[in-house]
Short mmCIF file of all heavy atoms in Angstrom, two decimals:
data_model
loop_
_atom_site.label_atom_id
_atom_site.label_comp_id
_atom_site.label_asym_id
_atom_site.label_seq_id
_atom_site.Cartn_x
_atom_site.Cartn_y
_atom_site.Cartn_z
N SER A 26 -4.19 19.21 16.76
CA SER A 26 -5.42 19.78 17.33
C SER A 26 -5.06 20.93 18.27
O SER A 26 -4.35 20.74 19.26
CB SER A 26 -6.18 18.71 18.11
OG SER A 26 -7.14 19.35 18.94
N HIS A 51 -6.29 21.33 13.01
CA HIS A 51 -7.56 20.76 13.51
C HIS A 51 -8.13 21.68 14.59
O HIS A 51 -7.45 21.99 15.58
CB HIS A 51 -7.30 19.36 14.04
CG HIS A 51 -8.53 18.60 14.41
ND1 HIS A 51 -9.32 17.95 13.48
CD2 HIS A 51 -9.12 18.39 15.61
CE1 HIS A 51 -10.33 17.37 14.10
NE2 HIS A 51 -10.25 17.63 15.40
N PHE A 52 -9.39 22.09 14.38
CA PHE A 52 -10.00 23.15 15.19
C PHE A 52 -11.27 22.57 15.84
O PHE A 52 -12.29 22.38 15.17
CB PHE A 52 -10.32 24.32 14.26
CG PHE A 52 -10.74 25.59 14.91
CD1 PHE A 52 -9.81 26.56 15.26
CD2 PHE A 52 -12.08 25.84 15.17
CE1 PHE A 52 -10.21 27.77 15.85
CE2 PHE A 52 -12.49 27.03 15.76
CZ PHE A 52 -11.55 28.00 16.11
N ASP A 53 -11.20 22.29 17.12
CA ASP A 53 -12.29 21.61 17.83
C ASP A 53 -13.29 22.59 18.40
O ASP A 53 -12.94 23.42 19.25
CB ASP A 53 -11.71 20.75 18.96
CG ASP A 53 -10.97 19.53 18.44
OD1 ASP A 53 -11.61 18.72 17.74
OD2 ASP A 53 -9.77 19.41 18.71
N HIS A 84 -13.80 20.77 13.34
CA HIS A 84 -14.50 19.61 13.88
C HIS A 84 -15.60 20.13 14.79
O HIS A 84 -15.34 20.55 15.91
CB HIS A 84 -13.50 18.72 14.64
CG HIS A 84 -14.12 17.55 15.33
ND1 HIS A 84 -13.40 16.75 16.21
CD2 HIS A 84 -15.37 17.02 15.27
CE1 HIS A 84 -14.20 15.80 16.67
NE2 HIS A 84 -15.39 15.94 16.13
N MET A 86 -18.40 19.83 17.25
CA MET A 86 -19.06 19.00 18.26
C MET A 86 -20.15 19.88 18.87
O MET A 86 -20.05 20.32 20.02
CB MET A 86 -18.04 18.53 19.30
CG MET A 86 -17.08 17.47 18.74
SD MET A 86 -15.56 17.28 19.68
CE MET A 86 -14.57 18.59 18.95
N LEU A 153 -14.41 10.94 9.50
CA LEU A 153 -13.57 11.13 10.70
C LEU A 153 -14.00 10.10 11.75
O LEU A 153 -15.16 10.10 12.19
CB LEU A 153 -13.75 12.56 11.22
CG LEU A 153 -13.12 12.97 12.54
CD1 LEU A 153 -11.65 12.58 12.62
CD2 LEU A 153 -13.26 14.47 12.74
N MET A 155 -13.75 8.80 15.44
CA MET A 155 -13.33 9.15 16.79
C MET A 155 -12.80 7.90 17.48
O MET A 155 -13.48 6.88 17.56
CB MET A 155 -14.51 9.70 17.61
CG MET A 155 -15.05 11.04 17.17
SD MET A 155 -13.83 12.37 17.08
CE MET A 155 -13.30 12.50 18.79
N ASP A 193 -9.18 10.60 15.13
CA ASP A 193 -9.06 11.66 16.14
C ASP A 193 -9.24 11.08 17.53
O ASP A 193 -10.30 10.54 17.85
CB ASP A 193 -10.15 12.72 15.85
CG ASP A 193 -10.06 13.94 16.75
OD1 ASP A 193 -9.11 14.06 17.54
OD2 ASP A 193 -10.99 14.78 16.65
N VAL A 213 -5.17 13.13 13.45
CA VAL A 213 -5.27 14.27 14.37
C VAL A 213 -4.43 13.94 15.60
O VAL A 213 -4.47 12.81 16.08
CB VAL A 213 -6.73 14.51 14.80
CG1 VAL A 213 -6.81 15.64 15.82
CG2 VAL A 213 -7.61 14.80 13.59
ZN1 ZN B 22 -11.29 16.83 17.05
#
Side-chain angles (χ1 to χ4, degrees):
S26 164
H51 187 81
F52 190 91
D53 288 301
H84 175 189
M86 288 161 275
L153 173 50
M155 292 305 297
D193 185 6
V213 176

